[in-house]
Amino acid sequence: MTSPRLDLSSRVIAHRGASHYAPENTLAALQKAYELHIPWIEFDVMLTEDNVPIIIHDETLERTTDGHGEVAKTAYKDIAALDAGSWFDRAFSGENIPTFAEFLKQAAELNLSVNVEIKPSEGKDQETAMAVVQTLQAHWLTARPNLLVSSFSVVSLTAARALDKSLCLGLLLDHWFGDWQESLLQLDCVALHANWRILTKRKVAQIKDLGRYVLAYTVDNPEQARELFSWGVDAVFSNVPDVILSSVL
């Protein structure tokens, strides 16, 4: 196993930035996490039609922008012109969808640790992983600690591992599939990121016995967070990271 090089002492990771207070996966959400003194942020990377890695969660544009259609079938120049803030609040009118490179630059300037989720559209698992790793190599200092790359896609994680043996990887799970342990070990993941609803005290102990971190998403209830931490969960993803952090201090 790769020796973990992550400082998870904060125990709370801002989910898609501080997404309760600012539109998710935007520079505004990143900035808000910084202002709340949350040292870790999580965000999603997907490819445009012309293979530009951008920060967005959904495969379609409707929910978080004033655009329409599929991300994978829309050119970056058209996505760059969209408003990704007004849906959340008029105060964020004009907020755009950042490129992965722009997002990394801002995170580095604010000295934030990052969890990059590879979020491939259908059939783009390898291409998205390649774009993520290449962008990290170009825009994120290789010696910088606290970089975690995660994905639900085993294909994406396999491609990322092949491109960079030194990456700290995290396997995302929404349900327990038959060979999840084998995938975790073969990919040399340092962490398993699970939907908190599928975790039990016994399952957390099982993962910890493998020498892996356990991260749970998405936890906005302080009582739930305290229970998860009592089981040995190392960190939780939250839309209200300040609320969760204050509840466990």
Side-chain angles (χ1 to χ4, degrees), residues 208-220:
K208 301 283 285 197
D209 285 345
L210 296 173
R212 269 60 184 176
Y213 291 116
V214 184
L215 282 65
Y217 71 90
T218 303
V219 182
D220 292 340

Side-chain angles (χ1 to χ4, degrees), residues 68-81:
H68 302 279
E70 298 177 36
V71 173
K73 294 182 179 179
T74 308
Y76 169 66
K77 66 177 179 61
D78 296 321
I79 289 178

Side-chain angles (χ1 to χ4, degrees), residues 15-244:
H15 181 240
R16 305 179 195 169
S19 53
H20 178 73
Y21 306 104
E24 66 180 58
N25 281 327
T26 62
L27 293 178
L30 182 158
Q31 178 67 32
K32 187 61 180 180
Y34 171 77
E35 291 171 1
L36 293 173
H37 306 290
I38 307 300
W40 270 92
I41 58 166
E42 179 268 355
F43 52 92
D44 309 281
V45 179
M46 192 177 297
L47 293 182
T48 64
E49 183 180 42
D50 44 347
N51 293 320
V52 177
I54 61 171
I55 309 303
I56 192 169
H57 176 272
D58 296 4
E59 292 191 21
T60 55
L61 295 162
E62 283 80 357
R63 183 176 67 86
T64 58
T65 79
D66 59 350
H68 302 279
E70 298 177 36
V71 173
K73 294 182 179 179
T74 308
Y76 169 66
K77 66 177 179 61
D78 296 321
I79 289 178
L82 298 177
D83 183 336
S86 294
W87 69 272
F88 184 87
D89 190 285
R90 289 183 179 179
F92 295 98
S93 177
E95 191 75 26
N96 64 7
I97 297 176
T99 65
F100 183 27
E102 289 170 341
F103 210 79
L104 286 177
K105 180 177 183 292
Q106 183 71 4
E109 289 177 355
L110 297 176
N111 198 34
L112 293 173
S113 299
V114 299
N115 176 188
V116 182
E117 181 181 340
I118 303 173
K119 196 85 175 178
S121 55
E122 186 176 356
K124 292 284 190 176
D125 299 68
Q126 290 186 329
E127 293 92 334
T128 309
M130 182 177 296
V132 165
V133 174
Q134 290 176 341
T135 305
L136 286 169
Q137 291 173 340
H139 297 281
W140 194 259
L141 297 177
T142 56
R144 183 181 174 81
N146 298 326
L147 164 67
L148 182 57
V149 177
S150 62
S151 187
F152 287 99
S153 170
V154 171
V155 174
S156 288
L157 290 176
T158 300
R161 173 60 73 218
L163 289 165
D164 191 334
K165 303 296 185 185
S166 69
L167 286 175
C168 286
L169 299 182
L171 175 63
L172 270 157
L173 292 182
D174 191 47
H175 63 278
W176 302 108
F177 58 85
D179 59 349
W180 68 268
Q181 288 174 299
E182 182 179 353
S183 295
L184 189 71
L185 297 174
Q186 285 187 348
L187 288 166
D188 195 18
C189 293
V190 301
L192 187 139
H193 305 199
N195 186 325
W196 69 265
R197 293 175 177 83
I198 69 172
L199 288 173
T200 62
K201 186 175 182 179
R202 181 178 179 182
K203 190 66 77 172
V204 171
Q206 185 180 4
I207 301 163
K208 301 283 285 197
D209 285 345
L210 296 173
R212 269 60 184 176
Y213 291 116
V214 184
L215 282 65
Y217 71 90
T218 303
V219 182
D220 292 340
N221 183 296
E223 183 177 345
Q224 185 65 58
R226 285 192 290 268
E227 182 176 29
L228 290 165
F229 290 136
S230 75
W231 293 348
V233 168
D234 295 288
V236 299
F237 299 92
S238 181
N239 300 309
V240 287
D242 56 325
V243 174
I244 300 301

